[in-house]
Amino acid sequence: MVSAKSVPHVAFLAFPFGTHASPLFSLARALAADAPSTAFSFFNSARSNSSLLQSLPSGLPPNLRTFDVPDNVPEGTWLPPVEVRLFLEVTPGNFLETMAAAEGEFGRVTCVVGDAFLWFAGDVAAERGASWVALWTGGPCSLAAHLYTDLLRDTFGVEDQVVYISFGTVIMPSPQELTEMAAGLEASGVPFLWSLKDMARKHLPEGFLDRVAGRGLVVPWAPQTQVLGHLAVGAFLTHCGWNSVLESISCGVPLICRPFFGDQCLNAKTVSCVWEIGVAFESRTMEKEDMVRVLNVVLKTEEGKKMSEKADKLKTTALQATKPGGNSIKNFDTLVKMIVGNHGS
Ligand code: U2F
C-alpha cells in the first residue's frame, strides 16, 4: 500500500446492500491498477467487504485497501429494509470515524467516489475541498427520473398523494390515539410524512415503521411550509393551530382537522362548514377506522376533489391579499398609520 501522506488519496464509499458495492469495487480496482502512486481506500461493511474479497480471483492492487465500516446490523438479521434502516441510523458517523483512521495513515482524502445513494458523500468531499464523483449503479432511465422529478411532477401531476401530519408545537394526542392513527395510516396504504416528537415514537405500533418503510416517514420536525407547498401533499392532518391553517390555505391543501382546545375547535368548524376545504373531528378521539375513512374521502373521492378545488380558490384569494393593493397590505398600512401616524412615510 502507498504510505506517503503527500500522495492523492481517493476514498470509495460503498452502499453495502444488494449488488451496489460490487460495481464500485470493480471501479476501485481498475483505477488503483491504473494509478499506482495514488492511495485508494474502500469503505464498506465488514460483511460486504468479505463477500467482495472472497469472489476476487487475484489479490488487490497494493495501493488499494478495504476498510470495514460498522453497519449496525445484528448477526442473523435478514430483512433488507430493516438492515438498510439500521445502517442509515448510524450513517454517516460510521463512515466518518473509519475515514479518520484511514486519513491518519494515508493523508487527507483528495477525492470521494461514493455510491449515489450516499447523499452525504458530497458534503464529505466539500468539507475536505476534495472532488466528488457519484456512482449510479441502476439503469439510466431511473437516474433521469430522479434528476427530473420536479419536471415530471409539474408535467404529469402526482397520482398517489405524501398526507402530511403535524399537531403543532404544544399538542400531543394520547398514546392510544397515536396508536390508532398509526394503525389507520398503515391500513389506508396512503403515503405520508408525520412530524412527531421523538418522545411519542414509542406509542407507534410495534414494527409500524418497518412495515410502512418506502411510503411513510416519521420525523421529529419538518419544514412545514415547504412540505405543504409540495405537489405530492394532498391533505394535512392537523390540530388546527391558526398558523397551520393559514399555511395549508396558502398552499391550497385541504385539511383533516383534529382540534384539541381553544380556537382550534372554531378553526376546524370554519374549515369544514364555512370554507368547506376539509373535514373535522370535533373533540373526539380518532380511531383507526376514522383515519382510513377520512383519508379515503379527502384523497380519493369526488368530495375530496371538491375540497381541494375550494382550497385552491382560497389560496388564490389569500395570495391576492398579500399583493400590492390587497387587503392584507391595506390593513398593514392602516396599522402603521395607527401606530406611527404619518411620521413613518
Ligand atoms: C398554538 O398552536 P401551535 O403553535 O401548536 O400550532 P400552529 O399555530 O399551527 O403553529 C405551528 C407552527 O410550527 C411549524 C408550523 C407552524 O408555523 O409551520 N411547524 C413546523 O415548521 N414543523 C413541524 O414539524 C411542526 C410545526 C395553539 F395551540 C393554537 O390553538 C393557536 O391557534 C396557535 C396560534 O396562536 O398557537
Side-chain angles (χ1 to χ4, degrees):
M1 182 79 187
V2 181
S3 59
K5 289 196 178 179
S6 55
V7 299
H9 181 189
V10 181
F12 287 83
L13 274 52
F15 182 74
F17 303 101
T19 40
H20 273 249
S22 179
L24 191 71
F25 194 49
S26 301
L27 179 64
R29 293 195 332 266
L31 287 170
D34 212 54
S37 51
T38 295
F40 291 87
S41 302
F42 192 84
F43 300 94
N44 191 16
S45 71
R47 274 197 264 196
S48 179
N49 266 341
S50 143
S51 112
L52 291 175
L53 291 168
Q54 264 172 24
S55 58
L56 210 60
S58 52
L60 288 180
N63 55 334
L64 169 62
R65 204 161 109 191
T66 58
F67 289 86
D68 291 346
V69 173
D71 63 7
N72 194 34
V73 180
E75 204 55 49
T77 310
W78 172 236
L79 194 58
V82 176
E83 291 178 88
V84 171
R85 182 172 57 74
L86 290 169
F87 168 73
L88 291 178
E89 275 175 12
V90 295
T91 300
N94 52 351
F95 278 95
L96 296 177
E97 273 171 31
T98 318
M99 279 178 79
E103 286 184 310
E105 223 172 309
F106 306 116
R108 205 159 170 75
V109 164
T110 52
C111 175
V112 175
V113 184
D115 187 296
F117 273 22
L118 302 179
W119 67 97
F120 60 86
D123 297 334
V124 170
E127 279 156 19
R128 291 162 171 74
S131 49
W132 172 41
V133 177
L135 181 75
W136 179 257
T137 61
C141 289
S142 66
L143 175 59
H146 282 291
L147 292 176
Y148 299 112
T149 301
D150 288 341
L151 177 66
L152 289 167
R153 284 192 176 129
D154 288 348
T155 309
F156 301 109
V158 176
E159 208 169 285
D160 236 0
Q161 284 187 316
V162 183
V163 61
Y164 169 63
I165 305 153
S166 164
F167 298 104
T169 54
V170 285
I171 297 289
M172 179 57 70
S174 69
Q176 192 202 337
E177 188 164 8
L178 285 173
T179 308
E180 290 284 322
M181 284 175 173
L185 273 174
E186 187 177 343
S188 72
V190 161
F192 66 89
L193 175 65
W194 190 347
S195 168
L196 181 70
K197 294 184 185 77
D198 277 339
M199 63 181 191
R201 279 172 91 101
K202 60 177 180 284
H203 302 306
L204 297 175
E206 181 141 9
F208 168 75
L209 292 174
D210 293 330
R211 291 193 298 273
V212 298
R215 73 166 167 97
L217 200 60
V218 177
V219 294
W221 185 259
Q224 184 162 302
T225 47
Q226 287 174 48
V227 170
L228 289 170
H230 200 281
L231 218 65
V233 175
F236 179 15
L237 170 54
T238 169
H239 65 310
C240 276
W242 189 238
N243 296 294
S244 291
V245 172
L246 290 183
E247 287 161 10
S248 207
I249 288 173
S250 313
C251 296
V253 175
L255 300 103
I256 299 168
C257 310
R258 165 58 177 111
F260 286 78
F261 60 69
D263 65 327
Q264 298 160 14
C265 304
L266 279 175
N267 297 343
K269 198 89 176 161
T270 314
V271 163
S272 58
C273 299
V274 181
W275 295 325
E276 297 174 328
I277 58 167
V279 289
F281 285 82
E282 289 164 58
S283 312
R284 82 173 173 83
T285 300
M286 281 184 90
E287 291 174 1
K288 176 183 167 184
E289 291 70 27
D290 296 321
M291 197 70 176
V292 174
R293 184 175 49 77
V294 88
L295 286 170
N296 187 53
V297 168
V298 178
L299 293 170
K300 295 179 182 163
T301 66
E302 268 308 303
E303 196 184 339
K305 203 169 159 212
K306 283 198 184 112
M307 291 176 197
S308 184
E309 285 165 3
K310 286 185 179 166
D312 219 44
K313 275 195 191 140
L314 208 55
K315 165 185 168 180
T316 311
T317 310
L319 296 183
Q320 213 60 44
T322 55
K323 287 189 177 151
N327 277 348
S328 292
I329 301 290
K330 282 186 194 158
N331 289 341
F332 183 71
D333 288 345
T334 306
L335 180 69
V336 171
K337 285 198 183 90
M338 282 169 65
I339 293 175
V340 297
N342 287 323
H343 301 292
S345 49

